[in-house]
Amino acid sequence: MRNRRARDELAEMLEAVRGRMAGISDFEQQRLALTATATALDGAVSVTVDANGRLVETSFADDVRGMAPDKLGPAVTAAAQAAADDLVRQTEELRAPLLREREKLPTMSDLIAGLPDIGAELPGRSRVSAAAEPTDDQQAMVPPARPVSEVFADSGEESVPVQMPDVEDPDEVRRAGSGSEVSDSGWG
């Protein structure tokens, strides 16, 4: 009876994993179809980025012909950054159902008694960019159409270092002079 119950639970978990993998595949197909377009200078500059944030189209209205490059360049940059920010927002909207599903799944520490929940101890993800923060002039060029979602930003929680009290520090072992308990000399 106990083996049958364990087998049924394992079958349910495997089915959940298969469903999760299918959901991830669907998400990736939908994500790859995303594009985002933003404008600057009252629509005189339009920029489109693909699902990976790469610039795929830039267009200019006829009235930019006489515009100074020092005004046009920052406008293109501002529009590209706004399009990339919109792409992040769209991606997170697509990802939200997957994240909600993941929260329902048991962690390894739920399945194996005594195993620490390492995932809970990892620091939050930060959104890293090589782009400089836009200047006030650049911000003024882009219409405030939609709020930028900083979903990768840490939620303000302090990161907690991972602690493994049962792990020996290799330097401490060497200083203490104790020999290795590994039988294969290649590991020693």
Side-chain angles (χ1 to χ4, degrees):
M1 183 78 161
R2 188 173 173 183
N3 286 338
R4 172 178 244 146
R5 182 174 163 213
R7 193 177 13 213
D8 290 345
E9 287 178 4
L10 180 60
E12 285 178 33
M13 285 192 321
L14 288 174
E15 188 58 35
V17 168
R18 284 187 193 105
R20 178 115 171 100
M21 296 304 288
I24 291 170
S25 177
D26 291 345
F27 159 77
E28 188 60 15
Q29 288 177 354
Q30 292 174 18
R31 186 193 71 79
L32 288 172
L34 292 177
T35 62
T37 301
T39 62
L41 295 176
D42 297 322
V45 174
S46 177
V47 172
T48 301
V49 296
D50 69 7
N52 295 314
R54 287 189 300 252
L55 189 62
V56 294
E57 184 178 345
T58 305
S59 61
F60 302 98
D62 288 337
D63 58 350
V64 299
R65 290 188 194 273
M67 191 174 294
D70 64 336
K71 187 172 183 184
L72 189 57
V76 172
T77 301
Q81 290 174 344
D85 288 340
D86 185 41
L87 182 69
V88 168
R89 183 196 56 76
Q90 290 180 57
T91 301
E92 290 310 310
E93 284 179 7
L94 270 178
R95 184 176 300 169
L98 285 176
L99 296 176
R100 284 192 298 273
E101 278 299 312
R102 184 176 73 182
E103 290 172 0
K104 295 177 187 176
L105 295 176
T107 63
M108 289 301 288
S109 61
D110 293 335
L111 300 174
I112 301 171
L115 188 68
D117 186 3
I118 295 172
E121 297 179 17
L122 295 176
R125 291 175 50 183
S126 296
R127 188 164 170 231
V128 179
S129 174
E133 289 296 316
T135 64
D136 290 340
D137 291 341
Q138 288 173 327
Q139 282 291 68
M141 292 179 203
V142 178
R146 295 174 243 191
V148 176
S149 173
E150 291 295 335
V151 294
F152 289 118
D154 192 332
S155 62
E157 299 174 16
E158 284 188 39
S159 61
V160 179
V162 176
Q163 297 179 359
M164 298 181 177
D166 297 338
V167 178
E168 294 179 352
D169 181 353
D171 294 330
E172 293 288 325
V173 172
R174 275 189 221 106
R175 272 185 246 135
S178 66
S180 171
E181 295 180 20
V182 177
S183 61
D184 182 349
S185 62
W187 288 83

